[in-house]
Amino acid sequence: MSAPAPTLLADLGGTNVRFGVAHPEQDQPLIQESVRRYHVKDYPSLADAARQYFKETGHEAQRAIIAAAGRIDNGETVKVTNNPWAISAHKLAKELDLEWVHLVNDFAAQSMAVMLMSPDKRIDDAGHCELEKVGTLPVPTIGAKDEQTFVVVGPGTGLGVGGLLIRGEKVSVLQTEGGHAGFAAHSPEDIEILKVLNLKYGRVSNERLISGQGLANLYTAICEISGQKADEDITPEEITRRATDKTCPMCARAVETFAGIFGSVAGDLVLTLGAWDGVYLTGGMTPILLPWIQKHFRERFEAKGRFRDTMEKVPTQAIMNPEPGLIGGAALAIVEAGGTPLRGR
């Protein structure tokens, strides 16, 4: 731990890196006007991109927290999928003249982010708030009880799964590979989809269905089951667009099925972790597919046999803020400075 100081935040993926600066002592630690995005391919290294960021914005920092979409090795290095940069915390700190650099998994950062978000804070002209209810139950107050356990799950390029544990003023994040757990088919349609994907992949994980590529897999499987010819080159974005425009019944069925199976997977995670306090839905696909999630998620989420009554009481909410990685980094900066993101709750 160390005293609060301006902290560089980076949310690093395969294509883009987002930078921001946090002031851990402030009520809103992430400085909103500090956020910038850069293309990875335009810079030889993360250090070069960070130098450009500092030059363009005029911001300064004494330390850094890097949230990266990859496995952190011994807290020192990370290899991000589809990203050519080799990142070493010690080397980066030296290159940028920082006190220290901490590397964290991007999903750990997203899990921490919910502590700095509010269901009352609007984020766009459409009236969306940082946290949107999925279902009718109110968004839970983190820190309202001494012990709380939440699931954090999010489809994007893959399927991230984690747990957020509140124990008094101590906050812990469970980093898991739950997205690679095996898909559990529940309905006759699930079984037919599983048969199709099993022939293609052998083992079928949840990520094979609940992710960007998973949406394409669902579309292809549903077309095959229905005896329809699939568009072999269709993208997840095109599936969503055609479903929105109501120009493709198979695309509409794919996004509906996606939302339902997403609910089933999230419900299984609640049972696995004992996360009776709630579920946060994150990932790049959640805001895009929210209209379908609102309609089809809860029924499958609650359909857990003898535990239906219990599941009906578990709140679910979608993270709509576009920068959960940076906000989570800001929460981690508070912790590093000896504070708690639960302050004021």
Side-chain angles (χ1 to χ4, degrees):
M1 294 183 185
S2 51
T7 304
L8 174 68
L9 309 175
D11 184 7
L12 177 59
T15 304
N16 299 307
V17 57
R18 289 175 170 84
F19 289 113
V21 169
H23 288 246
E25 74 283 1
Q26 297 187 6
D27 290 339
Q28 298 294 326
L30 174 62
I31 309 304
Q32 290 296 328
E33 61 269 22
S34 73
V35 177
R36 298 287 190 283
R37 183 181 71 174
Y38 298 86
H39 293 296
V40 168
K41 65 179 179 59
D42 293 338
Y43 299 91
S45 69
L46 179 58
D48 288 301
R51 290 190 191 100
Q52 183 64 24
Y53 168 77
F54 285 134
K55 179 180 178 182
E56 288 183 2
T57 65
H59 286 288
E60 298 180 348
Q62 296 178 24
R63 53 191 67 151
I65 295 176
I66 313 299
R71 183 176 179 273
I72 311 300
D73 291 325
N74 299 318
E76 172 60 25
T77 61
V78 63
K79 178 66 181 76
V80 181
T81 305
N82 299 321
N83 185 316
W85 294 345
I87 301 168
S88 159
H90 180 77
K91 180 180 178 183
L92 185 63
K94 187 175 181 179
E95 289 176 318
L96 297 179
D97 193 24
L98 300 173
E99 293 176 8
W100 48 252
V101 171
H102 288 177
L103 301 178
V104 298
N105 176 266
D106 65 328
F107 207 76
Q110 290 199 39
S111 297
M112 293 287 289
V114 300
M115 288 180 289
L116 297 180
M117 292 185 181
S118 168
D120 301 319
K121 182 178 179 180
R122 290 195 174 188
I123 59 171
D124 58 32
D125 294 336
H128 290 124
C129 295
E130 285 187 303
L131 298 172
E132 294 274 346
K133 292 189 298 183
V134 175
T136 59
L137 297 173
V139 175
T141 299
I142 294 183
K145 300 187 295 183
D146 283 342
E147 291 194 6
Q148 293 174 302
T149 303
F150 300 92
V151 162
V152 185
V153 55
T157 303
L159 178 63
V161 173
L164 179 64
L165 278 63
I166 313 296
R167 301 293 185 266
E169 291 195 354
K170 184 177 180 180
V171 179
S172 301
V173 174
L174 296 178
Q175 299 182 54
T176 84
E177 292 297 336
H180 296 286
F183 169 56
H186 294 290
S187 69
E189 182 184 52
D190 284 359
I191 293 170
E192 293 303 313
I193 290 170
L194 179 58
K195 287 179 181 177
V196 172
L197 297 184
N198 185 258
L199 289 174
K200 181 176 182 180
Y201 294 111
R203 181 179 183 274
V204 179
S205 67
N206 289 324
E207 187 172 273
R208 293 294 190 189
L209 295 93
I210 308 302
S211 63
Q213 182 56 47
L215 181 57
N217 287 339
L218 281 171
Y219 162 79
T220 302
I222 289 169
C223 286
E224 182 172 331
I225 294 166
S226 303
Q228 302 291 320
K229 181 174 176 55
D231 182 343
E232 294 182 2
D233 297 323
I234 198 167
T235 63
E237 293 78 12
E238 183 65 13
I239 293 170
T240 305
R241 186 189 68 77
R242 293 183 190 180
T244 302
D245 295 345
K246 299 180 180 180
T247 57
C248 173
M250 295 297 101
C251 292
R253 185 60 189 149
V255 294
E256 292 170 0
T257 302
F258 182 102
I261 292 176
F262 189 15
S264 183
V265 170
D268 286 344
L269 290 168
V270 169
L271 296 176
T272 301
L273 294 181
W276 314 120
D277 295 292
V279 178
Y280 290 90
L281 309 179
T282 185
M285 297 183 72
T286 292
I288 297 168
L289 297 181
L290 187 63
W292 292 278
I293 291 171
Q294 294 283 20
K295 292 179 181 178
H296 304 285
F297 181 94
R298 285 292 308 195
E299 172 52 35
R300 291 284 297 264
F301 178 80
E302 296 170 3
K304 299 301 178 187
R306 290 169 289 176
F307 274 82
R308 175 180 280 276
D309 289 348
T310 301
M311 297 301 291
E312 288 175 350
K313 300 172 186 175
V314 179
T316 51
Q317 39 276 322
I319 295 176
M320 300 297 288
N321 190 299
E323 301 295 349
L326 293 181
I327 294 174
L332 289 165
I334 293 172
V335 174
E336 293 287 358
T340 172
L342 296 171
R343 60 193 182 188
R345 292 190 182 271

